[in-house]
Amino acid sequence: MPTIVDIQNLRKSYAGGFEALKGVNLEIEQGEILALLGSNGAGKTTLISTICGITTATSGKVTVGGHDIKDDFRAARSMIGLVPQEINLEPFERVLNTVRFSRGLFGRPADEAVLEKILRQLSLWDKKDSQIRELSGGMKRRVLIAKALSHDPKVLFLDEPTAGVDVELRKDMWEIVAGLKASGVTIILTTHYIEEAEAIADRIGVIAKGELLLVEEKDALMARMGKKQLEVQLT
Ligand code: ATP
């Protein structure tokens, strides 16, 4: 499969000199689900926000669909959907409006059929007139995904979509992610949970202390290491 996101020697130092990313190289293949496994503070959020151009890299290069995230931000960003870890939605806004507004922000033409398709895909259509504050945590996360999909991105980044979520809701999220893959979107998600990566990923990357220790096909990795050894890598 062709590469859709190309990351070369990506480094990020925060003020004070702390090196959160220590030279990450990664090629993300079109159509895959890549799970980035890492423990607290490993650098997962920093990696995602730096790839997406929300955080400025100290050095290195990222291209999305051939567009440089720094030099050609608008073109690169328009190909990216980003689902942040925290739920940053307007509590009094309605679901459909939230997604409609997001599409407008990206300068995409109004298209009610597209919005309906996205909401149906996430089983949110019957909630389209609900206010965000009326929704459960799981439903709010779906709205975040709908928002991220509103401008028809090619690549979707999900930052710990199941952090602090119970097992049943986590499985719902896995189904959603599988459905999105089937619709042709490339997916990168971060997680603490080995079983989550194992359940949904095509490839698994392990990130620890700002370094990408490995990236491997899931089946090969699980056969080579197994859960126990993988856990050791995470610490
Ligand atoms: P978690 O699973 O807890 O969300 P993470 O893997 O996403 O963690 P990051 O949030 O990327 O990790 O943080 C990586 C490291 O960079 C941590 O040590 C964190 O304290 C540090 N860090 C993150 N943001 C900043 C910042 N704005 N300024 C200074 N240090 C930061």
Side-chain angles (χ1 to χ4, degrees), residues 12-21 37-49 55 85 159-160 163 190-192 207-210:
K12 175 65 189 177
S13 299
Y14 285 113
F18 177 76
E19 230 188 346
L21 295 179
L37 258 175
S39 56
N40 280 331
K44 302 181 297 297
T45 300
T46 303
L47 178 57
I48 284 195
S49 58
T55 297
Q85 197 175 340
D159 195 6
E160 295 194 44
T190 63
T191 182
H192 288 204
I207 179 162
K209 299 191 178 86

Side-chain angles (χ1 to χ4, degrees), residues 161-183:
T162 64
V165 166
D166 70 39
V167 176
E168 281 315 304
L169 280 177
R170 257 194 265 159
K171 287 184 177 161
D172 286 350
M173 184 58 73
W174 300 351
E175 269 181 38
I176 290 171
V177 169
L180 293 173
K181 177 188 162 147
S183 73

Side-chain angles (χ1 to χ4, degrees), residues 37 194-195 197-198 204 216-228 230:
L37 258 175
I194 294 175
E195 67 272 20
E198 197 180 3
I204 295 177
E216 212 168 314
E217 294 293 329
K218 173 186 63 189
D219 293 341
L221 179 65
M222 297 316 291
R224 186 167 71 79
M225 280 199 174
K227 265 190 196 152
K228 283 252 154 58
L230 206 45

Side-chain angles (χ1 to χ4, degrees), residues 3-234:
T3 299
I4 188 154
V5 182
D6 188 18
I7 299 152
Q8 288 172 24
N9 204 13
L10 197 62
R11 292 177 181 273
K12 175 65 189 177
S13 299
Y14 285 113
F18 177 76
E19 230 188 346
L21 295 179
K22 297 174 180 161
V24 171
N25 292 291
L26 175 62
E27 288 179 12
I28 297 163
E29 293 167 18
Q30 200 174 326
E32 74 170 330
I33 299 179
L34 173 67
L36 294 171
L37 258 175
S39 56
N40 280 331
K44 302 181 297 297
T45 300
T46 303
L47 178 57
I48 284 195
S49 58
T50 310
I51 295 171
C52 296
I54 308 300
T55 297
T56 310
T58 306
S59 62
K61 188 177 171 68
V62 174
T63 59
V64 184
H67 303 287
D68 190 293
I69 196 71
K70 204 164 68 195
D71 303 337
D72 200 2
F73 177 74
R74 282 176 71 93
R77 183 67 180 86
S78 73
M79 299 187 75
I80 294 172
L82 175 59
V83 182
Q85 197 175 340
E86 69 286 357
I87 293 175
N88 57 352
L89 296 166
E90 277 296 323
F92 291 95
E93 192 52 270
R94 295 186 191 278
V95 169
L96 177 58
N97 247 347
T98 299
V99 181
R100 188 187 281 132
F101 182 69
S102 180
R103 184 173 172 87
L105 280 182
F106 278 89
R108 302 284 292 154
D111 189 332
E112 293 302 306
V114 168
L115 300 181
E116 180 174 345
K117 186 176 144 247
I118 293 169
L119 291 187
R120 284 194 186 282
Q121 194 172 15
L122 291 157
S123 306
L124 279 173
W125 185 241
D126 61 340
K127 301 271 186 224
K128 66 182 190 314
D129 298 319
S130 301
Q131 287 186 330
I132 299 296
R133 65 187 179 129
E134 297 163 15
L135 304 180
S136 67
M139 284 292 172
K140 285 179 186 155
R141 281 192 193 269
R142 285 172 193 240
V143 175
L144 285 179
I145 297 174
K147 249 185 93 176
L149 292 172
S150 66
H151 59 284
D152 314 312
K154 301 282 177 268
V155 190
L156 185 65
F157 289 87
L158 298 142
D159 195 6
E160 295 194 44
T162 64
V165 166
D166 70 39
V167 176
E168 281 315 304
L169 280 177
R170 257 194 265 159
K171 287 184 177 161
D172 286 350
M173 184 58 73
W174 300 351
E175 269 181 38
I176 290 171
V177 169
L180 293 173
K181 177 188 162 147
S183 73
V185 184
T186 304
I187 295 164
I188 298 91
L189 67 88
T190 63
T191 182
H192 288 204
Y193 305 113
I194 294 175
E195 67 272 20
E196 180 158 292
E198 197 180 3
I200 55 178
D202 298 307
R203 287 196 302 160
I204 295 177
V206 174
I207 179 162
K209 299 191 178 86
E211 287 184 80
L212 190 60
L213 301 181
L214 59 88
V215 189
E216 212 168 314
E217 294 293 329
K218 173 186 63 189
D219 293 341
L221 179 65
M222 297 316 291
R224 186 167 71 79
M225 280 199 174
K227 265 190 196 152
K228 283 252 154 58
Q229 245 185 299
L230 206 45
E231 254 160 36
V232 175
Q233 295 279 321
L234 292 181

